[in-house]
Amino acid sequence: METISENACFGGVQGVYRHKSDSCRCDMTFGLFLPEEARDENVPLLWYLSGLTCTHENAMTKAAAQGWAAEHGIALVFPDTSPRGEGIANDDAFDMGQGAGFYVNATEDPWKPHFRMWDYVAEELPALLARNFAIDAERQSITGHSMGGHGALTLAMNLPERYRSVSAFSPICNPASSDWGRKQLSGYLGADESKWARHDASLLMREKGFDGPMLIDTGTNDQFIELLRPETLAEAIAARRQQAAFRMQPGYDHSYFFVSSFMEDHIAFHAEALWT
Amino acid sequence: METISENACFGGVQGVYRHKSDSCRCDMTFGLFLPEEARDENVPLLWYLSGLTCTHENAMTKAAAQGWAAEHGIALVFPDTSPRGEGIANDDAFDMGQGAGFYVNATEDPWKPHFRMWDYVAEELPALLARNFAIDAERQSITGHSMGGHGALTLAMNLPERYRSVSAFSPICNPASSDWGRKQLSGYLGADESKWARHDASLLMREKGFDGPMLIDTGTNDQFIELLRPETLAEAIAARRQQAAFRMQPGYDHSYFFVSSFMEDHIAFHAEALWT
């Protein structure tokens, strides 16, 4: 593992690291914020999964998360959103291929050799973090934005006991019924829609839900809201009697200005689950 | 108007008053909490509509609302849930007739002579309060529990500009499709279901929504949740892109122990709308 940079940040350290990924068979880069407390003890970890076109860097610089994480003594990890580089499949569209891994293990060509973001985020990266940093693997929670909100919700529901809490900012809620989803799930997983179900938050909510608290924020003026389909997840949450706060935030759009506006709430929400 | 009682309460006064109601053609009793500020100036007013079987008294004594209202300088009014007394129609069931007015104007016998709770809460009582107490009629918000949550939501959506904010505790969300609703709406309004639509929060949300903030809490262990149908309203809120916080609170039931647990949140929510 190679250290790309380390900067003092809110009393702790914002680092960027690169490593050879076995899952993705390429070099992968991630950001990690460690609060001051990590000098002396293992600290809880909050995952932040990013959206389409993002690298590890976007949320790290624009989501205004480190200050609140420092206040609560929580580490933050910012993974990349796909494998990258020459010799790795790509697509001209912004919403497919590099920058658009959708947090699945691709089974179809040309994606399957490298696009294994599920394994990367669910298995490889957590193990690497626990080995190399002052992280308490027993205390993890997860959040994300847009495609990353989809990732956070689907990982949380598929991996019971892994995360103590889950939240999302303007998540893709029902990819199996959206143009943000059908193209990608069919491309990565093939035409058999039964294989998509475990990567659809609304279908997972109907089937199993999440054993812990859930917080979801979406802007009423989100320019992509027809693609996000929050109404499908809202209905499923209430029908399951899932512990949750589902909020429609007036006037906000899909940008990091929205994400940063509610970051304080989300980190306080996760802190309550991580520190009790 | 007759004063039944006045008690010092959180620096203000909790009163109970009785008056001859033109709408209901009988004596009606209500509770009114006025905070200390009402000695010197007109204060904002939060309506609290109660649920099945309640009088003006239940929430006044069990919802733990006055302390938070005092902190925010807000008046609270607790209307009764129906006309009452000898010579007024009733039903042996707890969910019909006296104690179960459902916040409608009955058009059917035997209810129509007295059961005009819509007019009472929407017109008569607000005018009486503005005439007799230090209330600022330009600053009103509304909340309620169960049948009263139904009342709060349907009044708020049908009377644009009247209320600055609306909230509800475990509201009946879709009475036109529930056993808590079909019997009462057909009894009070007749068999023509088109006349029920303006008394169904989910149908109103689909049709028009609310021009302001909305907060809804329901317990995941609510023993009446199948009758409340929160999933219908959750879907409608998200589909309309309605500014709202829709929360499913883990482990809570339908009781005042639930209502009082979240009263602080609800009054702070309304205070933000009433004081800006």
Side-chain angles (χ1 to χ4, degrees):
Chain A
M1 196 176 63
E2 178 188 357
T3 299
I4 306 295
S5 62
E6 287 184 331
N7 296 84
C9 182
F10 288 96
V13 176
Q14 176 62 60
V16 176
Y17 308 94
R18 185 187 298 141
H19 69 113
K20 286 198 189 308
S21 164
D22 293 335
S23 310
C24 297
R25 298 189 198 166
C26 65
D27 282 352
M28 292 291 283
T29 303
F30 63 90
L32 178 70
F33 170 74
L34 288 174
E36 187 171 16
E37 289 82 348
R39 292 177 197 162
D40 302 320
E41 57 180 329
N42 287 349
V43 296
L45 175 64
L46 177 61
W47 291 77
Y48 183 100
L49 303 186
S50 287
L52 290 167
T53 77
C54 290
T55 68
H56 68 281
E57 193 176 18
N58 302 62
M60 202 182 91
T61 57
K62 296 196 291 183
Q66 292 93 341
W68 303 116
E71 186 167 313
H72 292 286
I74 291 172
L76 297 169
V77 61
F78 303 97
D80 203 346
T81 59
S82 77
R84 293 180 191 272
E86 288 186 32
I88 293 178
N90 202 0
D91 189 288
D92 288 342
F94 77 98
D95 60 0
M96 190 79 196
Q98 296 187 32
F102 256 77
Y103 305 100
V104 301
N105 290 332
T107 56
E108 305 301 303
D109 286 322
W111 312 107
K112 67 183 182 187
H114 299 281
F115 281 74
R116 301 188 62 83
M117 286 302 292
W118 182 274
D119 280 356
Y120 179 68
V121 172
E123 305 301 336
E124 183 177 2
L125 188 52
L128 180 143
L129 294 176
R131 274 199 313 274
N132 291 281
F133 299 96
I135 297 296
D136 177 1
E138 297 300 308
R139 287 184 292 164
Q140 299 183 60
S141 290
I142 191 164
T143 187
H145 173 226
S146 194
M147 177 184 75
H150 147 77
L153 291 165
T154 55
L155 280 152
M157 286 188 272
N158 277 305
L159 299 173
E161 314 273 305
R162 171 71 64 90
Y163 307 104
R164 294 199 181 179
S165 49
V166 59
S167 78
F169 301 87
S170 39
I172 300 174
C173 295
N174 187 205
S177 300
S178 167
D179 287 343
W180 271 1
R182 294 190 62 81
K183 165 181 161 182
Q184 293 84 354
L185 296 176
S186 60
Y188 295 139
L189 303 178
D192 177 0
E193 296 192 19
S194 70
K195 294 180 178 160
W196 306 0
R198 67 189 290 266
H199 297 288
D200 185 296
S202 296
L203 300 178
L204 284 166
M205 180 55 68
R206 284 179 203 158
E207 187 202 331
K208 53 171 71 172
F210 176 69
D211 184 21
M214 177 176 281
L215 171 63
I216 295 170
D217 276 320
T218 303
T220 60
N221 287 4
D222 191 307
Q223 59 270 46
F224 302 111
I225 199 164
E226 300 292 341
L227 296 162
L228 304 177
R229 296 178 57 79
E231 61 276 14
T232 313
L233 183 58
E235 195 277 345
I237 284 170
R240 168 154 295 278
R241 323 317 185 193
Q242 166 71 48
Q243 169 183 1
F246 177 92
R247 308 190 300 192
M248 299 291 292
Q249 300 288 7
Y252 287 92
D253 61 24
H254 200 72
S255 69
Y256 276 99
F257 297 112
F258 162 64
V259 173
S260 58
S261 296
F262 295 96
M263 187 56 74
E264 178 181 5
D265 281 8
H266 282 243
I267 291 187
F269 162 80
H270 289 294
E272 190 172 332
L274 289 167
W275 283 107
T276 51
Chain B
M1 197 176 64
E2 178 188 0
T3 299
I4 306 296
S5 61
E6 288 184 332
N7 297 84
C9 182
F10 287 96
V13 176
Q14 175 63 60
V16 176
Y17 308 93
R18 184 187 297 141
H19 68 113
K20 285 196 190 310
S21 164
D22 293 334
S23 309
C24 296
R25 297 189 199 167
C26 66
D27 283 352
M28 291 291 283
T29 303
F30 64 90
L32 178 71
F33 170 75
L34 288 174
E36 187 171 15
E37 289 82 348
R39 291 175 198 163
D40 303 319
E41 57 180 330
N42 287 349
V43 297
L45 175 64
L46 177 60
W47 291 77
Y48 182 101
L49 303 186
S50 287
L52 290 167
T53 77
C54 291
T55 68
H56 68 282
E57 193 175 19
N58 302 62
M60 202 182 89
T61 56
K62 296 196 291 184
Q66 292 93 340
W68 303 115
E71 185 167 314
H72 292 285
I74 291 170
L76 297 169
V77 60
F78 303 96
D80 202 346
T81 59
S82 78
R84 293 181 190 273
E86 286 186 33
I88 293 177
N90 202 1
D91 189 289
D92 287 341
F94 77 97
D95 59 1
M96 191 79 195
Q98 295 187 30
F102 255 77
Y103 305 101
V104 301
N105 290 333
T107 56
E108 305 301 303
D109 285 323
W111 312 108
K112 67 183 183 187
H114 299 281
F115 282 74
R116 300 188 63 83
M117 286 302 292
W118 182 275
D119 280 355
Y120 180 67
V121 172
E123 305 301 335
E124 183 177 2
L125 188 52
L128 181 142
L129 294 176
R131 274 198 314 274
N132 291 281
F133 299 96
I135 297 296
D136 177 0
E138 297 301 307
R139 287 184 291 164
Q140 299 184 61
S141 290
I142 190 163
T143 187
H145 173 227
S146 194
M147 176 184 75
H150 146 78
L153 291 165
T154 55
L155 280 152
M157 286 188 272
N158 278 304
L159 299 173
E161 314 272 304
R162 170 72 63 90
Y163 308 103
R164 295 198 180 180
S165 49
V166 59
S167 78
F169 301 86
S170 39
I172 299 175
C173 295
N174 187 206
S177 299
S178 166
D179 287 344
W180 270 2
R182 295 189 62 80
K183 165 181 160 182
Q184 293 85 354
L185 296 175
S186 60
Y188 295 140
L189 304 178
D192 177 1
E193 296 193 19
S194 70
K195 293 179 179 162
W196 305 0
R198 67 189 291 267
H199 297 289
D200 184 296
S202 296
L203 300 178
L204 284 166
M205 180 56 67
R206 285 179 202 157
E207 187 202 330
K208 54 169 72 171
F210 175 68
D211 184 21
M214 177 177 281
L215 170 62
I216 295 169
D217 276 319
T218 304
T220 60
N221 287 5
D222 190 307
Q223 59 270 46
F224 303 112
I225 199 164
E226 300 292 340
L227 296 162
L228 304 177
R229 296 178 57 79
E231 61 277 13
T232 313
L233 183 58
E235 195 277 345
I237 285 170
R240 169 156 293 280
R241 324 316 185 194
Q242 166 71 49
Q243 169 182 3
F246 178 92
R247 309 191 298 193
M248 299 290 292
Q249 300 287 7
Y252 288 91
D253 60 24
H254 200 72
S255 69
Y256 277 99
F257 298 112
F258 163 64
V259 172
S260 58
S261 297
F262 295 96
M263 188 55 75
E264 178 181 4
D265 281 7
H266 282 243
I267 291 186
F269 161 81
H270 290 294
E272 190 172 332
L274 289 167
W275 283 107
T276 51

